Amino acid sequence: MRSTALSGLLLAGLAACQPVVPPVASPGLPGLTLVPASGGLLVNGSGGREIGFGRDQPGALQTVARIEGMAPRATSCGSGRQAFVTKGNLQLVFESSTFVGWTSGSDTAGRTCG
């Protein structure tokens, strides 16, 4: 009994010394896609959910990352705003940590970087 307890403690100690493996990129949420809309982004396949203008930046970016399986990357933006590009090449625009617009090719809604 005593050696079993000692073995358990030894294994627990060894497990604690193992290197931390960074998370692997997720394939995203199956069946969900982002669709640009006049009031933000619709989450197609979610039963009507959306990422609307006015949403806080951390929440919007985390939701996009979960859907696409990849965090949007920061890109340059003028007018004192911040922008991030999604896996699907959609530029999301934020002002004062609030989602305020998007650009996709020649289509836009809300505020832009220009």
Side-chain angles (χ1 to χ4, degrees), residues 23-24 26 28 30-32 34 36 39-40 54 61 63 68-69 72 76 82-83 88 90 101 114:
V24 177
S26 159
L32 298 182
L34 298 173
L61 294 176
T63 301
E68 293 194 326
S76 61
Q82 292 182 302
L90 181 66

Side-chain angles (χ1 to χ4, degrees), residues 6-92:
L6 185 56
S7 295
L9 286 174
L10 199 68
L11 286 174
L14 288 174
C17 293
Q18 296 298 317
V20 176
V21 178
V24 177
S26 159
L29 297 174
L32 298 182
T33 56
L34 298 173
V35 178
S38 61
L41 302 172
L42 300 177
V43 182
N44 193 24
S46 71
R49 294 183 187 227
E50 64 179 34
I51 304 169
F53 292 150
R55 176 119 181 235
D56 72 311
Q57 181 174 332
L61 294 176
Q62 288 171 2
T63 301
V64 169
R66 280 195 311 270
I67 291 168
E68 293 194 326
M70 177 181 191
R73 67 185 188 287
T75 188
S76 61
C77 187
S79 306
R81 297 182 181 122
Q82 292 182 302
F84 295 82
V85 177
T86 69
K87 182 177 172 180
N89 289 320
L90 181 66
Q91 184 181 56
L92 309 178

Side-chain angles (χ1 to χ4, degrees), residues 87-101:
K87 182 177 172 180
N89 289 320
L90 181 66
Q91 184 181 56
L92 309 178
V93 181
F94 295 87
E95 186 171 32
S96 301
S97 294
T98 302
F99 181 36
V100 295

